[in-house]
């Protein structure tokens, strides 16, 4: 408590001590937007004047409507600073705005290029880590060199802002109402010329601010006791984004360096496979299974509710919902073939982040195609529950819903229980390979454009992808290739493309997927027929096995049997051996 009080008192002292600063220009906004020395007059657009921060009858502030108002001052070098010039900015601000996506109360920027400095208020856009209603003091660019207030300022009260840049240490600092908010060592610098000074909006972009600004001052230098206060409590220092990303990537590389081991015999592999399954289910919070200790969901009624049956010439479509948790239902669509005779093979179609979920045209066309080929196709909407207090994650809900969907398919007398598969793209693909490792009722699988190493999902360069793809406690034990390998010797077919960030899977992940299978081949079976990871399409004339512009597909392992009604491997899948003589895997 004493430390916090000392920081606040020191901050108040700082606001009163400016011996090392030299005011360059200031505005009172008492009925006009001309600077106090009369040198600069703003070009006003749809502004109003409101009561000032002091509450005095003669004190006024400039008000911005959050839509199309601003005050612009012509480009000038007076308020333009580079990395070698210390400066201080002070003003009062009041707002109740909830920006979408962000708003820019203050911008100092040339008509083109990066700003020299600015103040941005976070909104509903999550990029660059700006928080809703928090004010950011930003230097040189928008990529991450910023100091952000610890609390929102859009509470309708007046707040005093003091922000400074100390050139000898490349240090940016900001105070809110006399309390130190944070510091940051900034990188780069400003290389432009004279900059436009704009209040109420950005320059060259529309990010309107809604609120009031009063008593604005720009000074050269920094207050006398700035460094004393900053050094008082170094916990306020913000680490630059580039440093955070570098440290995170180094940690991630150390973590994934613990590679899955390759078992030496079938007994060891069976034990390893059981450990991987247990770790996945534990991370998902599904061990033991809800409602039962034995098999998924057999003590919870499915309570299936059907919608209207839509009849098409070669298939039928019907909406449905099934009970997954008590009084909680998963929604989806059931596509039924008209030809052939039951029992039919069935395909579960989980989906990821498709815009319209199971109604998305991509998913609909896939399910229609499967129904026309004689499959029962079931698509289930994805859910995103989250409660880390009980180890409930988005993937927990998705995988459990898919297990309940398998319960439903097994309950239908017109479904062949020995011919049930799963396929999906993106998040649906990830749900598929988690099912491959956790549910023995799955007989075949086709994961599309998602199998990849965990480090590729979690790297900062991919924007950490979607957090709903993560399963806690999993990366230290295993990785996606080994998770996929646990499905052996059942047939799995992996599809990738060179235009996706998972493009390295065919040449890196799939061979790793085959390692445990090669080393644990059953003595009664040919190692070639059960453990080989084969590339079946690639670019014509390729010098090595790399993804082609039309995609790459691998099968691992080869199926033990072909399905009676149809297979997911067309005659074109054998083309590689004739069209790609340079392929190093051709001899296999």
């Amino acid at each position: 408590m004493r430390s916090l009080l000392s920081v606040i008192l020191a901050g108040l002292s700082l606001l009163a001590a400016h011996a090392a600063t030299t005011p360059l220009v200031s505005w009172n906004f008492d009925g006009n937007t001309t600077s106090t020395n009369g040198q600069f007059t703003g070009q006003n657009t749809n502004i109003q004047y409101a009561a000032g921060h002091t509450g005095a009858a003669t004190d006024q502030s400039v008000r911005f409507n959050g839509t199309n108002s601003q005050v612009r001052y012509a480009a000038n070098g007076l308020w333009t600073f580079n990395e070698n010039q210390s400066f201080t900015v002070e003003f009062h601000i009041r707002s109740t705005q909830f920006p979408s996506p962000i708003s820019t109360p203050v911008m100092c920027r040339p008509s083109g290029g990066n700003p020299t400095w600015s103040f941005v208020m976070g909104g509903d856009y999550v990029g660059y880590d700006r928080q809703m209603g928090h004010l950011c003091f930003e230097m040189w660019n928008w990529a991450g060199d910023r100091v952000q207030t610890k609390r929102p300022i859009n509470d309708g009260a007046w707040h005093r802002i003091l922000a400074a840049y100390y050139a000898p240490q490349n240090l940016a600092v900001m105070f809110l109402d006399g309390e130190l908010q944070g510091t940051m060592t900034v990188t780069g610098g400003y290389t432009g010329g004279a900059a436009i000074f704009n209040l109420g909006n950005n320059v060259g972009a529309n990010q309107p601010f809604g609120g009031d600004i009063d008593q604005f001052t720009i000074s050269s230098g920094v207050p006398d006791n700035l460094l004393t206060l900053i050094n008082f409590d170094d916990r306020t220092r913000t680490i630059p984004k580039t440093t955070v990303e570098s440290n995170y990537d180094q940690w991630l590389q150390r973590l994934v360096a613990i590679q899955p081991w390759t078992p030496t015999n079938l007994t060891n592999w069976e034990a390893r496979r059981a450990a991987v399954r247990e770790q996945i289910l534990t991370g998902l919070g599904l061990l033991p299974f809800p409602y039962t200790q034995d098999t998924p969901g057999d003590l919870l009624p499915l309570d299936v509710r059907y919608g209207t049956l839509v009849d098409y010439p070669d298939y039928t479509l019907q909406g449905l919902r099934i009970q997954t948790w008590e009084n909680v239902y998963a929604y989806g669509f059931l596509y039924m073939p008209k030809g052939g005779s039951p029992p039919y093979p069935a395909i579960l179609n989980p989906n990821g982040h498709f815009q319209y979920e199971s109604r998305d045209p991509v998913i609909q066309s896939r399910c229609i195609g499967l129904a026309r080929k004689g499959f029962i196709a079931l698509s289930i909407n994805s859910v995103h529950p989250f409660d880390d207090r009980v180890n409930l994650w988005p993937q927990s809900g998705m995988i459990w819903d898919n297990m309940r969907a398998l319960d439903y398919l097994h309950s239908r007398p017109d479904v062949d229980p020995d011919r049930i598969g799963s396929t999906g793209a993106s998040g649906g693909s990830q749900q598929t390979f988690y099912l491959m490792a956790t549910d023995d009722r799955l007989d075949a699988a086709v994961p599309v454009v998602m199998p990849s190493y965990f480090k590729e999902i979690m790297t900062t360069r991919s924007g950490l992808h979607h957090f709903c793809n993560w399963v806690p406690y999993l990366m230290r034990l295993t990785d996606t290739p080994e998770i996929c390998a646990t499905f052996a010797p059942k047939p799995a077919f992996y599809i990738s493309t060179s235009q996706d960030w998972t493009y390295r899977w065919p040449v890196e992940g799939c061979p790793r997927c085959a390692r445990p299978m090669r080393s644990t081949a059953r003595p009664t079976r040919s190692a070639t027929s059960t453990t080989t990871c084969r590339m079946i399409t690639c670019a014509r004339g390729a010098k090595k096995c790399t993804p082609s512009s039309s995609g790459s597909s691998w099968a691992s392992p080869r199926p033990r049997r072909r399905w009676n009604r149809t297979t997911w491997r067309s005659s074109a899948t054998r083309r590689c051996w004739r069209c790609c003589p340079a392929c190093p895997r051709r001899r296999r």
Side-chain angles (χ1 to χ4, degrees), residues 39 44 75 90 98 110 139 148 185 255 353 405 442 474 507 521 556 568:
Q39 185 178 357
N44 305 331
E90 300 173 77
F98 288 82
M139 302 291 298
Q148 188 167 192
T185 301
L255 187 62
H353 297 100
L442 208 61
L474 191 56
V507 293
S556 171
W568 294 342

Side-chain angles (χ1 to χ4, degrees), residues 393-448:
W393 309 90
Q395 280 293 327
S396 309
M398 295 179 202
I399 299 304
W400 180 248
D401 282 4
N402 291 326
M403 287 181 171
R404 292 293 285 162
L406 292 177
D407 287 344
Y408 167 72
L409 291 175
H410 271 262
S411 73
R412 293 185 62 98
D414 54 359
V415 171
D416 185 343
D418 293 325
R419 292 189 296 166
I420 296 179
S422 178
T423 186
S426 189
S429 174
Q430 184 173 49
Q431 295 170 56
T432 292
F433 66 70
Y434 281 141
L435 278 177
M436 289 162 59
T438 57
D439 202 315
D440 291 330
R441 296 173 298 175
L442 208 61
D443 299 295
V446 181
V448 181

